[in-house]
Amino acid sequence: DVYKRQGQYGVLYWFGSPYYHSYQFVTYMFLHASLEHLFFNMFGLWMFGSLSAPTLGWKNFLNLYLISGTFGNVLWYVFNIDTPAVLLGASGAVVGVIMATAMIMPNLRVLLLFFPVPVKLKTMAVVYIVLEVVQQGANIQSNIAYLVHIGGFFAGFLFMHLFLSREIVWSPLDLLLGKQRPVSPVSYTHLRAH
């Protein structure tokens, strides 16, 4: 059993479990259910974190990661408090990093892993979160905690607005409010091939 291999205390257990501890709200994001789960989370973290970390700095990046992951699991937990389930994985933290990266460099074109088509990062972020909301709303029975992803998205959004608003080039609020921001003075020269 994957949970026994990783230890009883790292994953986030439901409140009524004898294994529940409050520190699991942080430790859960450092454990994964499989190598595939670990690979895709770390691939996303590398892909988007390597873009945003130079702008954010390591302290802000670490705070973004931890806050997004924690907020994501708190949102999931609120709606699943009586569910005898466990939670693990870095997805909420990674989605927060994706959101922050999209807000910093929205027009950067990225190739999607399964659809190798160049898409603006802001478009990818919006489509991704809409799909997560639809899947959560459809109440699809799966082992994917869509609420964690949604919480991570909003935490990344809030983190940028509350602590790094000077770095924001685009925000999802721009879509809702029909707002256009001035062209960014941000330079993407650090993205050149080496």
Side-chain angles (χ1 to χ4, degrees):
D1 185 61
V2 68
Y3 309 113
K4 292 202 188 293
R5 286 195 314 265
Q6 294 188 33
Q8 295 174 331
Y9 300 105
V11 299
L12 179 59
Y13 282 89
W14 61 289
F15 187 69
S17 170
Y19 302 117
Y20 169 81
H21 296 281
S22 59
Y23 61 77
Q24 294 165 344
F25 280 97
V26 175
T27 59
Y28 92 101
M29 72 181 94
F30 295 100
L31 302 173
H32 290 80
S34 66
L35 286 176
E36 179 184 36
H37 188 206
L38 176 65
F39 170 79
F40 283 110
N41 274 323
M42 294 306 101
F43 179 75
L45 182 61
W46 167 77
M47 184 173 172
F48 298 104
S50 64
L51 295 171
S52 58
T55 301
L56 300 178
W58 75 268
K59 287 181 184 175
N60 285 327
F61 184 82
L62 179 62
N63 285 327
L64 167 68
Y65 182 87
L66 294 174
I67 289 169
S68 296
T70 303
F71 189 84
N73 77 48
V74 167
L75 181 65
W76 178 87
Y77 199 81
V78 164
F79 286 94
N80 294 280
I81 196 161
D82 291 327
T83 304
V86 295
L87 185 65
L88 71 167
S91 301
V94 172
V95 174
V97 169
I98 291 171
M99 183 68 253
T101 307
M103 293 172 77
I104 294 168
M105 40 190 76
N107 296 317
L108 182 70
R109 292 192 179 273
V110 294
L111 284 176
L112 303 178
L113 188 59
F114 298 109
F115 271 147
V117 176
V119 177
K120 287 184 179 180
L121 192 48
K122 67 181 177 183
T123 304
M124 188 211 78
V126 169
V127 169
Y128 179 75
I129 198 60
V130 166
L131 288 173
E132 294 291 318
V133 169
V134 167
Q135 289 171 316
Q136 176 62 37
N139 199 18
I140 296 171
Q141 296 297 319
S142 79
N143 288 331
I144 299 173
Y146 300 109
L147 280 173
V148 172
H149 302 170
I150 295 166
F153 176 90
F154 283 109
F157 166 83
L158 290 172
F159 184 86
M160 291 301 294
H161 277 282
L162 293 174
F163 302 111
L164 295 165
S165 60
R166 70 187 180 284
E167 301 294 344
I168 296 174
V169 175
W170 169 84
S171 170
L173 284 179
D174 298 346
L175 287 173
L176 298 173
L177 302 176
K179 184 177 175 183
Q180 288 249 321
R181 293 177 188 254
V183 177
S184 168
V186 175
S187 169
Y188 300 116
T189 55
H190 68 280
L191 300 178
R192 290 186 186 145
H194 297 282

